[in-house]
């Protein structure tokens, strides 16, 4: 029996083929190969049946041929909604009858062979949920982006997840602008001891008025700072523990890669994919923060083998998944914990593997233990109000490093001396510290991902693409600030205009709406809701909201002087320009002048009333303005795209016609960026081009020229 096993990535083929051996042929779909069309919405009411097109015909043709020669086809796409949808599209595109769905969460021989023994059918609930997400994203993107661009008069896009993510950044910027700082004062007493210098802070709470968070009376703070002698009122020590963090899920891996390795989310997921395909880690798109029982046993085996038996907890450490988590498979971990380092992968992938290994092992170790000491002091002297003042100090000492033995950051805490209650001590200094409240920090990529996760906006597989979209479309800019030059995110003027136009008017721009949609998709996957009902509600909501889209403050509308429709700012190859939204019926354009339509260059005028025939089709030539200056173009465009340079109001027609050796149409001389060259006038159907040699096309013999000039 010959069986075909289809995986997503070509990088998995060789390893899985080795595991399965003879009787199996392993091939790849190269990810998604069937999708909604790029230049149309591809879905319409009332049934919302997606119109799919093949995006990689070569791959499909290759798989069809292999499927014909196989008695059974195993669809081994990734174990998530996207993978389930790809399996469905494989079944439909290849018209499979004898097929089974298999899934494995790690690329090991044991896992791959076990999946064959547990082969089942495609989960159409998961397929419907993925299709629902794809269609809703298409409805929002296609239906809203056009009107949004018209309102803003420049190209802009909306997205079901992209817009709430952008709103988070914009809202934080507004919080920073609205922030009013508060000046306040603290008083700190410093003491010298054999264990080192330590500090106690004045307790100002008795002097705070209702609703007041900070002490602002500088004169009284200076009075407190005169105190030097203190009595120990109470000293207590208690044991505290610091539990290990859970193993990585997709979102926390992105955050750690960003903050610790300075790796962007998109690259972090690419590196994780590299490690997964190298069979070094389990599947990296997951929202489950727990390891399987088998994996816990593997961690404990490694600890025993390395003399760390006393680091093994009495029971496996477990964590509760966040709301909305699908928990389809376990957290990210190494497939073999004895592989302390990742070999045969890129250096960045090896660094990421080290993070994954440490986090997974640490998650199944005992907590770190500390002795935490608190000291309550009271001044023997009084302040100018006749009252003694209380000061407090805290410090801790590690007694057992636990999971932190793997090198986790242990922030230093002051070590307090051994004192007895009633003892009198004197400070070496007591000072006032002037403070000022700080505005909320802008998001970094790591903190924005955490906020998206906490708000249940999007899914683990979408976070990296969200970050990429916001920055690549210039809705968010990156800038460095602070001592460590941390990279923070701030909205661009365009990003703020988008939120001003959408927030409050469109449901999908609200944070709660996105969370609710994810809940509906989960219900579709579980068979508790129907795809058609959820998508119809979204579309009906858009129908109601589109007619109410406001024009943001400060956005001036500019009408096309030729047809009256709105002009829109566009980005061309040579920079920004304004084009009519009535294109292609109206082809009016104008240069950009500081964010407004500028004056067009005056239309060139022919030197005389004479007309000139196109040497290709004999239709009249017309003098036009182009990016490189005036030129003559055929009036038969677009059927004929012949053009020639202008020579003081006269077309610079060649004295000789040089036929293209490939299609026989006339060659034309063009002034390119690197100098003149000759190109076929049949472009783009014919792309033949040659160098210019003393005003003639190199290697082409001239033909007889007919009279091209007529008298008006």
């Amino acid at each position: 029996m010959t069986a075909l096993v289809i995986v997503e990535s070509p990088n998995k083929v060789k390893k899985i083929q080795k595991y399965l051996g003879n009787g199996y042929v392993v091939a790849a779909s190269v990810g998604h190969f069937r999708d909604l069309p790029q230049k149309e919405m591809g879905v319409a009411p009332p049934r919302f049946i997606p119109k799919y097109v093949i995006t990689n015909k070569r791959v499909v043709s290759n798989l069809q041929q292999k499927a014909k020669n196989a008695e059974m086809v195993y669809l081994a796409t990734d174990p998530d909604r996207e993978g389930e949808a790809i399996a469905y599209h494989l079944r439909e595109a290849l018209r499979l009858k004898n097929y089974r769905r298999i899934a494995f969460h790690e690329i090991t021989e044991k896992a791959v062979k076990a999946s064959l023994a547990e082969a089942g059918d495609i989960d159409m609930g998961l397929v419907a949920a993925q299709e629902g997400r794809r269609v809703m994203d298409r409805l929002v993107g296609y239906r809203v982006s056009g009107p949004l661009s018209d309102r803003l008069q420049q190209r802009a896009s909306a997205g079901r997840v992209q817009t709430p993510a952008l709103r988070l950044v914009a809202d934080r910027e507004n919080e920073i602008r609205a922030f009013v700082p508060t000046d306040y004062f603290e008083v700190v007493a410093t003491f010298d001891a054999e264990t080192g210098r330590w500090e106690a802070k004045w307790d100002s709470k008795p002097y705070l008025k209702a609703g007041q968070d900070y002490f602002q009376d500088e004169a009284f703070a200076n009075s407190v700072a005169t105190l030097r002698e203190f009595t120990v009122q109470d000293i207590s020590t208690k044991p505290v523990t610091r539990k290990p963090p859970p193993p990585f899920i997709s979102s926390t891996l992105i955050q750690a890669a960003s903050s610790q390795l300075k790796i962007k989310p998109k690259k972090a997921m690419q590196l994780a994919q590299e490690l997964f395909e190298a069979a070094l880690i389990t599947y990296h798109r997951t929202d489950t923060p727990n390891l399987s029982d088998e994996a816990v046993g593997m961690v404990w085996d490694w600890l025993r083998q390395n003399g760390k038996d006393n680091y093994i907890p009495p029971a496996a450490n477990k964590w509760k998944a966040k709301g909305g988590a699908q928990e389809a498979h376990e957290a990210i971990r190494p497939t073999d914990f004895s592989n302390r380092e990742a070999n045969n992968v890129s250096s960045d992938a090896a660094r990421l593997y080290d993070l994954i290994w440490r986090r997974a092992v640490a998650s199944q170790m005992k907590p770190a233990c500390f002795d935490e000491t608190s000291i309550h002091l009271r001044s023997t002297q009084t302040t100018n109000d006749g009252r003694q003042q209380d000061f407090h100090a805290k410090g801790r000492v590690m007694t057992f490093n636990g999971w932190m033995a793997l090198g986790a950051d242990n922030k230093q805490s002051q070590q307090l001396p051994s004192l007895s209650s009633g003892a009198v001590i004197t400070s070496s200094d007591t000072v006032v510290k002037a403070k000022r409240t700080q505005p909320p920090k802008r998001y970094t990529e790591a903190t924005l991902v955490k906020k998206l996760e906490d708000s249940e906006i999007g899914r683990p597989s979408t976070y990296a693409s969200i970050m990429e979209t916001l920055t690549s479309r210039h809705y968010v800019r990156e800038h460095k600030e602070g001592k460590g030059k941390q990279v923070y995110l701030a909205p661009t003027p365009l990003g703020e205009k988008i939120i001003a136009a959408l927030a409050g008017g469109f449901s999908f721009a609200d944070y709660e709406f996105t969370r609710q949609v994810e809940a509906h998709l989960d219900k579709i996957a579980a068979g508790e809701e129907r795809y058609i009902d959820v998508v119809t509600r979204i579309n009906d909501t858009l129908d109601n909201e589109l007619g109410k889209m406001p024009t943001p403050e400060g956005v001036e509308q500019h009408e096309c002087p030729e047809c009256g429709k709105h002009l829109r700012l566009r980005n061309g190859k040579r920079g920004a320009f304004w084009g009519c939204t009535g294109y292609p019926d109206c082809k009016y354009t104008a240069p950009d002048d500081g964010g407004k339509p500028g004056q067009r260059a005056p239309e060139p005028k022919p030197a005389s009333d004479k007309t000139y025939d196109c040497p290709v089709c004999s239709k009249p030539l017309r003098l036009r303005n182009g990016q490189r200056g005036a030129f003559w173009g055929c009036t038969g465009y677009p059927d004929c795209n012949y053009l020639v340079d202008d020579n003081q109001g006269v077309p610079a027609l060649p004295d000789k016609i040089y036929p293209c050796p490939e299609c026989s149409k006339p060659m034309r001389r063009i002034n390119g960026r690197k100098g003149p060259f000759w190109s076929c006038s049949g472009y783009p159907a014919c792309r033949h081009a040659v160098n210019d040699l003393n005003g003639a096309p190199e290697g082409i013999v001239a033909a007889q020229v007919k009279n091209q000039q007529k008298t008006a």
Side-chain angles (χ1 to χ4, degrees), residues 139 199 325:
L139 288 172
E199 295 180 344

Side-chain angles (χ1 to χ4, degrees), residues 82-364:
E82 294 294 320
E84 207 71 22
I86 293 173
Y88 163 75
H89 289 302
L90 283 168
R91 186 189 74 181
E92 297 299 298
L94 304 182
R95 299 178 182 179
L96 300 177
K97 294 183 179 180
N98 296 324
Y99 72 91
R100 301 296 284 165
R101 170 75 168 117
I102 62 173
F104 36 83
H105 303 102
E106 57 185 80
I107 305 176
T108 60
E109 184 172 359
K110 178 181 177 181
V112 171
K113 290 184 175 179
S115 71
L116 291 172
E118 299 169 357
D121 204 351
I122 296 171
D123 187 333
M124 293 307 296
L126 292 178
V127 174
Q130 188 276 342
E131 195 164 75
R133 174 182 283 116
R134 188 73 183 91
V135 167
M136 283 190 283
D137 289 346
R138 179 57 65 99
L139 288 172
V140 171
Y142 262 71
R143 296 201 61 192
V144 181
S145 296
L148 175 65
S149 298
D150 290 342
R151 290 292 193 281
L152 302 184
Q153 298 200 342
Q154 62 186 113
R155 187 175 181 181
S157 65
R160 184 182 61 83
V161 178
Q162 163 196 318
T163 299
L166 174 59
R167 185 178 179 182
L168 285 171
V169 178
D171 284 354
R172 176 57 55 87
E173 197 70 15
N174 289 331
E175 290 174 23
I176 293 171
R177 288 177 185 145
F179 180 79
V180 178
T182 299
D183 292 320
Y184 65 100
F185 302 93
E186 293 179 347
V187 182
V188 176
T190 304
F191 301 86
D192 294 321
E194 292 182 0
T195 54
R197 179 167 289 190
W198 59 281
E199 295 180 344
K201 186 181 292 186
W202 171 51
D203 182 6
S204 62
K205 289 180 181 178
Y207 293 90
L208 296 180
K209 298 176 182 178
Q212 189 177 13
D213 295 321
Y214 304 98
F215 186 79
Q216 296 178 271
D217 186 340
E218 184 178 8
F220 190 81
N222 285 326
S223 175
V224 175
T226 63
L227 305 175
R228 289 289 186 275
E229 191 176 82
F230 301 87
T231 303
V232 178
Q233 296 294 302
D234 182 57
I235 183 167
S236 61
T237 300
K238 63 179 181 179
V240 294
T241 60
R242 183 178 169 188
K243 295 180 179 180
F248 286 125
I249 58 176
S250 300
S251 59
T252 53
L253 179 63
I254 289 173
Q255 293 169 50
S258 176
S259 60
Q260 297 181 44
L261 304 181
K262 309 303 179 188
I263 292 174
K264 287 185 167 293
K266 181 180 179 181
K267 185 177 181 182
M269 294 310 287
Q270 290 172 342
L271 295 172
Q273 181 74 27
E274 180 183 347
L275 292 171
F276 175 63
E277 292 172 356
L280 289 168
I281 64 170
T282 55
Y283 193 53
H284 52 288
R285 291 188 177 91
T286 177
D287 53 15
T288 305
N290 291 304
L291 298 181
S292 65
D293 292 342
E294 180 185 9
V296 172
M298 292 166 64
V299 172
W300 290 352
D301 285 344
W302 184 88
L303 291 172
R304 292 188 188 96
Q305 291 164 9
N306 287 271
K308 296 184 182 295
D309 300 61
N310 61 324
Y311 286 82
I312 299 174
N317 294 323
K318 298 287 184 182
W319 290 264
K320 183 179 179 181
K322 293 193 175 182
Q326 296 173 22
E327 300 191 76
H329 36 271
E330 66 177 316
I332 304 168
R333 63 166 176 84
T335 55
D336 184 349
F337 287 92
S338 65
N339 290 329
R340 184 61 190 83
E341 296 179 350
N343 297 316
N344 302 317
V345 294
S346 65
S347 59
D348 280 341
R351 293 167 64 212
L352 189 66
Y353 177 84
D354 182 64
L355 276 186
I356 294 169
W357 188 94
R358 288 177 184 272
R359 186 74 168 251
V361 173
S363 74
Q364 297 306 319

Side-chain angles (χ1 to χ4, degrees), residues 2 72 76 103 114 123 134 428 511 555 632 634 693:
T2 301
M72 176 61 69
D123 187 333
R134 188 73 183 91
S428 58
Y511 305 134
V555 176
W632 291 75
C634 181
L693 183 62

